[in-house]
Amino acid sequence: MKIGYPCINNSVGCTANRTFRLKSYSEDLLKEKITENLSCLKKILQYNINNGFLFFRIGSGLVPFASHPICEFNWQNYFKKDFQEIGRFIKEKNIRISMHPDQFVVINSQNPEIVARSIKELEYHCQILDSLGLDQTAKVQIHIGGVYGEKEKSMKRFIENYKKLPVFIKKRLVVENDDKSYSASECLEISEEIKIPIVFDTLHHECLNNQEKARDVFEKIIKTWKKKDGLPIIDYSNRIIGDKRCRHIQSLDPRLFKKFIKETFGLDFDIMLEIKDKELSAKKALEVLVVV
DNA sequence: AGTTGTCAAGCTAGT
DNA sequence: ACTAGCTTGACAACT
């Protein structure tokens, strides 16, 4: 079991998500930002090793505007050595890497242009992981997408569009249950058809479920992960107490986390802590694991 | 040096 | 019709 946090580290004093405005796009500026981002990524990974965090989500902004038509720069080639070097470090230290494209990636959109842009963005994410030389356990996670007032049709459209994706995307792509549209059991329905692994998000399940117990659903979800996909991934968070909506807590509650670990006894998986204070919560989580 | 409006992209629910 | 919220954070133009 590995513990990780997404995209941002507030302790190392740099960010791997530096960007700029589209208006000020130039190849030089792009190179500059990628250089800074890669250098910071190294620092974060080293920090993670020093602190026992073996799971990390790389932010989508590592290469700004990579999937935008304005970008004709071959960053994969130009930064080949840097990616290989970081990739070697990741493999040597046995770090698990994932990525999570943002809400603009909608594979089941009714608009073919949005689908095309989404595929471009997925290509970019997979190119990052390919450039790092990582195997199929490095995943790219998205949600099912929109409902458009016709859920059955929208689920079918996801399945059809998924089938058309190139293999280098399919082998990394996984879906996560969300808090408003597609529950974990609906993800399971889709997975049954196309055999896509599912990321179980504990907070989203709390907010959207069909009265299934988390452990029951999770045991089914675990089976969607084959050996080549690596251990199942869980996104862990808790709801702000008394919150009507589904907002993340600011910092890990060690007692709730301990309860969760006990409830999932006997199951093995990697945990991504989707919590505001990032590495601080990851530290708390490790402390809980040592005691349990 | 610090503050604040704005930023490539989509969808949903709430006002 | 419009906007907040979603992994919101980071930039850039303004004091």
Side-chain angles (χ1 to χ4, degrees):
Chain A
M1 174 179 287
K2 293 175 180 172
I3 295 287
Y5 59 95
C7 310
I8 290 162
N9 176 302
N10 294 311
S11 303
V12 295
C14 64
T15 163
N17 305 301
R18 297 213 60 184
T19 184
F20 52 89
R21 294 289 174 259
L22 182 57
K23 271 190 295 187
S24 46
Y25 183 94
S26 76
E27 203 166 293
D28 283 344
L29 191 50
L30 179 60
K31 277 182 199 164
E32 188 187 310
K33 297 301 176 186
I34 299 173
T35 305
E36 288 175 344
N37 287 343
L38 289 175
S39 141
C40 186
L41 178 59
K42 278 184 220 172
K43 277 187 199 155
I44 293 174
L45 292 172
Q46 184 61 61
Y47 173 96
N48 288 351
I49 289 304
N50 297 345
N51 289 276
F53 309 140
L54 292 174
F55 191 16
F56 186 67
R57 182 188 296 168
I58 296 177
S60 297
L62 192 70
V63 179
F65 303 106
S67 76
H68 191 281
I70 201 173
C71 177
E72 292 176 345
F73 176 57
N74 190 336
W75 53 269
Q76 289 183 86
N77 197 34
Y78 190 89
F79 289 99
K80 195 170 193 168
K81 286 207 170 118
D82 303 84
F83 276 99
Q84 284 174 344
E85 186 199 323
I86 296 172
R88 268 198 302 277
F89 182 80
I90 290 169
K91 286 179 274 187
E92 185 189 306
K93 303 294 185 188
N94 198 22
I95 300 171
R96 179 95 182 262
I97 295 289
S98 70
M99 296 187 81
H100 192 340
D102 60 31
Q103 61 270 36
F104 307 109
V105 170
V106 185
I107 287 303
N108 76 344
S109 174
Q110 295 175 311
N111 177 349
E113 286 171 18
I114 293 173
V115 177
R117 277 198 290 274
S118 299
I119 294 171
K120 281 269 170 220
E121 184 72 355
L122 290 179
E123 270 173 19
Y124 152 64
H125 282 78
C126 293
Q127 282 164 357
I128 294 269
L129 300 172
D130 287 348
S131 298
L132 292 168
L134 304 180
D135 64 20
Q136 203 177 328
T137 66
K139 294 301 187 190
V140 173
Q141 55 175 288
I142 59 171
H143 298 290
I144 302 296
V147 177
Y148 313 101
E150 40 178 32
K151 190 174 262 185
E152 281 301 318
K153 269 191 180 173
S154 299
M155 285 167 80
K156 278 212 177 77
R157 206 164 41 245
F158 181 92
I159 289 168
E160 292 317 308
N161 289 343
Y162 173 87
K163 285 179 180 168
K164 286 184 249 172
L165 292 174
V167 174
F168 84 101
I169 293 179
K170 268 192 220 162
K171 70 178 188 186
R172 296 199 188 277
L173 199 63
V174 295
V175 287
E176 175 195 344
N177 58 310
D178 67 85
D179 61 336
K180 287 197 174 72
S181 304
Y182 293 98
S183 68
S185 43
E186 283 160 343
C187 290
L188 276 165
E189 270 182 57
I190 285 171
S191 179
E192 199 128 313
E193 290 248 359
I194 53 176
K195 308 297 171 200
I196 189 170
I198 298 167
V199 172
F200 183 62
D201 186 305
T202 63
L203 174 61
H204 291 163
H205 181 75
E206 224 178 288
C207 300
L208 179 67
N209 59 69
N210 311 322
Q211 276 85 48
E212 306 102 331
K213 279 193 190 124
R215 168 138 190 163
D216 294 344
V217 180
F218 186 42
E219 282 185 9
K220 286 180 194 160
I221 281 178
I222 283 180
K223 295 192 181 111
T224 64
W225 292 75
K226 303 288 174 257
K227 189 162 187 203
K228 61 185 188 316
D229 297 311
L231 283 182
I233 295 173
I234 276 212
D235 281 358
Y236 180 89
S237 187
N238 295 118
R239 202 202 297 230
I240 296 173
I241 298 167
D243 188 32
K244 273 191 181 172
R245 281 173 289 176
C246 200
R247 289 182 297 182
H248 294 258
I249 43 165
Q250 293 294 316
S251 189
L252 186 86
D253 181 338
R255 286 169 54 207
L256 284 177
F257 185 67
K258 192 171 184 175
K259 187 164 165 259
F260 168 75
I261 290 299
K262 284 187 171 166
E263 280 167 3
T264 53
F265 179 78
L267 309 175
D268 201 9
F269 48 89
D270 292 332
I271 305 177
M272 180 59 64
L273 298 164
E274 285 195 333
I275 297 173
K276 287 261 165 25
D277 67 359
K278 310 290 175 182
E279 74 277 9
L280 296 182
S281 284
K283 268 182 196 169
K284 288 190 193 172
L286 280 187
E287 283 161 20
V288 169
L289 287 180
V290 169
V291 179
V292 172

